[in-house]
Amino acid sequence: MQRAEVAGDLSGRDERLRVRVALDSERVVGDIDRRLFGGFVEHMGRGVYGGIYAPGHPSADERGFRRDVIELVRELGVTTVRYPGGNFVSGFHWEDSVGPRELRPTRLNLAWHSSETNEVGVHEFAEWLAEVDAELMLAVNLGTRGTREAIEFLEYVNISAPTRLSQWRSENGRTEPFGVKMWCLGNEMDGPWQLGQRTPEDYGILAAQTAKAMRQVDPDLELVACGSSHAAMPTFGEWEKVVLTHTYDDVDYLSCHAYYEPEPGDRASFLGSAVNMDRFIDAVVATADHVKAVRGSTKTIAVSFDEWNVWYSSRLPEQLPRAADDWPLAPPLSEEDYTVTDGVVVGDLLMSLLRHADRVRSASLAQIVNVIAPIAAPDDGPAWRKATFHPFALTARHARGRSLDVVIDTPGHHTRVHGDTPYVSVAATHDPGRGGAVFLVNRHESAAAEVTVELSGALAVLGVAEAVTLHDPDLDAHNSAAFPDRVGPRPNRSLRQQPGALTVSLPPVSWTMVRLVDVEADAEAEVEANEG
């Protein structure tokens, strides 16, 4: 975990933050599970129809998938994708999403007051995931349906034995099972907005029953129980305790969800959003470990942070249709511009997940295309990267191996929402025999930070491969279809390396990655490549 010594306030606009960081390759938080870099796709707005699937678009292939979106999702590097929701799943009939398209019914999408044609279903989405090289993670409907429907869905998806449902899957074009290992037992079941909202007792009993039944079908599943919808829920903590009391022996993960947006006039608190995520994870872990101790269990519950992002959700009610006779198909919803400030916060949130890699074993950026997404896919032009795309893509590509325990001495200040907040945030990784990476955020709105990073153990002999920074003097700068590269990572030429240390300057409101490589291993690989 990052251990910050907050050295005091800094308010002068011309002063520079002085920060010291200590990293040791032997001080390890935990191995980094590649599922930490997952995504999330829900049948909401133009996320599926118009985003992933748009038969009339110039880039569409013979199946209707947008090739320009596929290429950007590959570059983004998502490893696992949670589907089909989200709130949508609490009204989802999986049977509607399979079989011949011309026979699939159009339904009301009650979660987002729109129409659902079911043109894209389980088979089509799995085909799309094969194109982007990501693993499927499914959610079952425990809002308006229950255990029977969950095990039938599982049988259809995963069983090779010649049953009615597996034969139906074969008739629908898929002889081999999908082999989905990770399943969510409902979604945000504590939320009053959720179809089928339940008390923690009711949900815990249903989730345990469903988990037991699903394991009778496939004992090797990884199951996720619903945690609180967010840390500000009035039942937060108590919900986790009660749900785990019922489900502890039957599930592997407890979910966390968190979205952040700035409040007017309080950018400082928004920039400190990762402080809230750190505390949220710590509280959930403490509650899970309390239940473990009470039960005398040897099993440890992991965290699936399967919805997280910056989301201007306060704007959503104005975008949603409401009339009983108004059910549009794929209306634009929550298509955020995402400023450079948003990009810095997203990078910082991902760093929080890295700092908790010992317990957060899976996470899903919500979402991927158009809807609260790092990728924009306009109907009348090519897809392009938003500001939040870059820190996610670079972290997913280079944060490998093990997450390191970070010791940092940094000035800080008091924010209205989070209280004491360090100005500089750090996460670091080490992949033995290959290299490592250091991720840094400067949350100060006007002062640069001069950071000295002391490297010990195997890190001390690594060389710097690159240093890039996401920053813009205009904190509200963002990309657009006309200027898709207005905001993006640029080389940070301030970096200097000395034996066992490096120094780097971080501009105000910026996210930086320093990539380290094993110089000897790189040289040997280059020699082998030349000889080959």
Side-chain angles (χ1 to χ4, degrees):
M1 308 298 174
Q2 173 174 278
R3 298 198 307 279
E5 300 293 336
V6 180
D9 187 39
L10 181 75
S11 55
R13 290 183 59 85
D14 298 324
E15 297 184 58
R16 301 176 79 80
L17 307 171
R18 304 292 175 181
V19 179
R20 298 192 71 83
V21 176
L23 298 176
D24 187 333
S25 60
E26 299 305 311
R27 298 184 64 89
V28 177
V29 172
D31 292 336
I32 299 167
D33 193 316
R34 296 303 300 165
R35 288 177 174 174
L36 204 66
F37 309 108
F40 171 45
V41 169
E42 179 169 6
H43 285 246
M44 172 185 177
R46 296 194 318 114
V48 174
Y49 305 112
I52 289 170
Y53 176 79
H57 193 271
S59 74
D61 64 16
E62 66 281 0
R63 296 164 297 181
F65 297 145
R66 290 186 58 157
R67 299 299 309 179
D68 57 346
V69 169
I70 287 173
E71 290 171 7
L72 287 182
V73 175
R74 285 176 177 163
E75 181 185 341
L76 186 65
V78 293
T79 54
T80 304
V81 180
R82 180 170 174 255
Y83 178 82
N87 294 348
F88 173 77
V89 79
S90 288
F92 178 56
H93 287 221
W94 68 266
E95 304 92 332
D96 293 345
S97 75
V98 302
R101 276 180 170 160
E102 64 273 14
L103 299 181
R104 296 181 193 175
T106 295
R107 300 284 191 187
L108 299 182
N109 181 341
L110 297 177
W112 306 112
H113 204 93
S114 55
S115 294
E116 174 54 56
T117 65
N118 287 296
E119 288 179 73
V120 173
V122 176
H123 287 256
E124 291 80 16
F125 193 70
E127 290 177 8
W128 183 79
L129 285 180
E131 292 289 330
V132 302
D133 194 25
E135 177 186 352
L136 179 59
M137 175 181 175
L138 283 173
V140 298
N141 178 358
L142 294 188
T144 57
R145 308 187 89 186
T147 300
R148 177 178 176 178
E149 291 83 4
I151 59 175
E152 289 177 345
F153 189 18
L154 173 60
E155 180 183 337
Y156 180 91
V157 169
N158 273 15
I159 296 303
S160 59
T163 69
R164 180 181 66 85
L165 291 175
S166 65
Q167 288 175 345
W168 189 24
R169 181 190 67 237
S170 183
E171 292 166 5
N172 291 333
R174 176 91 179 206
T175 303
E176 294 299 315
F178 291 91
V180 177
K181 289 299 182 186
M182 200 163 183
W183 294 73
C184 300
L185 301 171
N187 176 76
E188 296 183 357
M189 298 308 301
D190 61 334
W193 56 85
Q194 200 73 210
L195 289 171
Q197 178 196 15
R198 299 179 186 275
T199 66
E201 287 281 354
D202 288 344
Y203 170 72
I205 292 170
L206 175 60
Q209 290 174 344
T210 304
K212 287 182 173 69
M214 292 178 74
R215 290 200 190 280
Q216 285 185 258
V217 177
D218 186 344
D220 296 326
L221 298 179
E222 297 176 53
L223 300 178
V224 185
C226 291
S228 295
S229 299
H230 52 78
M233 292 295 289
T235 55
F236 173 60
E238 182 67 15
W239 173 276
E240 280 73 10
K241 184 185 77 170
V242 173
V243 167
L244 283 178
T245 298
H246 288 286
T247 63
Y248 200 94
D249 295 334
D250 304 306
V251 302
D252 306 285
Y253 299 84
L254 189 66
S255 73
C256 290
H257 291 180
Y259 295 102
Y260 299 93
E261 69 174 304
E263 296 184 9
D266 192 9
R267 194 190 303 264
S269 291
F270 178 54
L271 287 165
S273 294
V275 172
N276 175 271
M277 181 179 269
D278 285 336
R279 294 170 182 166
F280 185 10
I281 296 170
D282 290 343
V284 170
V285 166
T287 304
D289 288 348
H290 167 75
V291 177
K292 175 182 179 179
V294 170
R295 296 177 66 85
S297 177
T298 58
K299 173 183 176 180
T300 298
I301 294 291
V303 171
S304 176
F305 216 120
D306 48 40
E307 287 189 35
W308 69 273
N309 204 347
V310 170
W311 182 12
Y312 291 77
S313 56
S314 61
R315 302 171 183 170
L316 180 62
E318 299 176 2
Q319 302 169 14
L320 282 171
R322 292 295 183 190
D325 58 353
D326 184 15
W327 298 87
L329 175 64
L333 296 176
S334 294
E335 299 192 15
E336 317 293 3
D337 286 334
Y338 284 138
T339 67
V340 66
T341 303
D342 298 326
V344 170
V345 170
V346 164
D348 204 5
L349 294 171
L350 192 48
M351 288 158 57
S352 172
L353 298 176
L354 283 173
R355 289 194 293 267
H356 293 87
D358 57 330
R359 295 300 289 270
V360 181
R361 310 301 299 167
S362 174
S364 303
L365 176 71
Q367 297 181 29
I368 297 178
V369 187
N370 283 333
V371 180
I372 49 174
I375 297 170
D379 292 332
D380 56 355
W384 48 273
R385 306 167 190 82
K386 297 186 183 181
T388 57
F389 181 99
H390 300 289
F392 187 98
L394 287 169
T395 306
R397 188 176 308 138
H398 298 300
R400 294 179 176 270
R402 305 181 298 187
S403 176
L404 300 181
D405 190 13
V406 176
V407 179
I408 178 171
D409 181 359
T410 173
H413 65 147
H414 186 85
T415 59
R416 186 182 64 79
V417 176
H418 310 302
D420 290 341
T421 301
Y423 276 128
V424 172
S425 170
V426 181
T429 65
H430 178 232
D431 194 0
R434 299 184 63 181
V438 184
F439 304 94
L440 310 101
V441 163
N442 181 4
R443 298 166 176 157
H444 201 287
E445 295 181 60
S446 58
E450 297 296 323
V451 182
T452 299
V453 182
E454 299 167 358
L455 304 171
S456 301
L459 296 174
V461 298
L462 299 180
V464 174
E466 65 175 329
V468 295
T469 293
L470 181 70
H471 165 72
D472 196 285
D474 178 0
L475 300 185
D476 295 319
H478 58 87
N479 294 336
S480 64
F483 300 99
D485 299 316
R486 169 70 174 84
V487 173
R490 308 284 187 259
N492 187 320
R493 305 192 188 283
S494 72
L495 189 137
R496 300 290 181 268
Q497 187 169 18
Q498 309 87 34
L502 57 86
T503 59
V504 64
S505 180
L506 313 179
V509 186
S510 64
W511 174 91
T512 296
M513 180 194 72
V514 178
R515 185 163 63 89
L516 306 171
V517 294
D518 186 322
V519 179
E520 292 184 4
D522 260 24
E524 291 175 3
E526 185 174 348
V527 169
E528 291 177 3
N530 291 334
E531 290 176 348

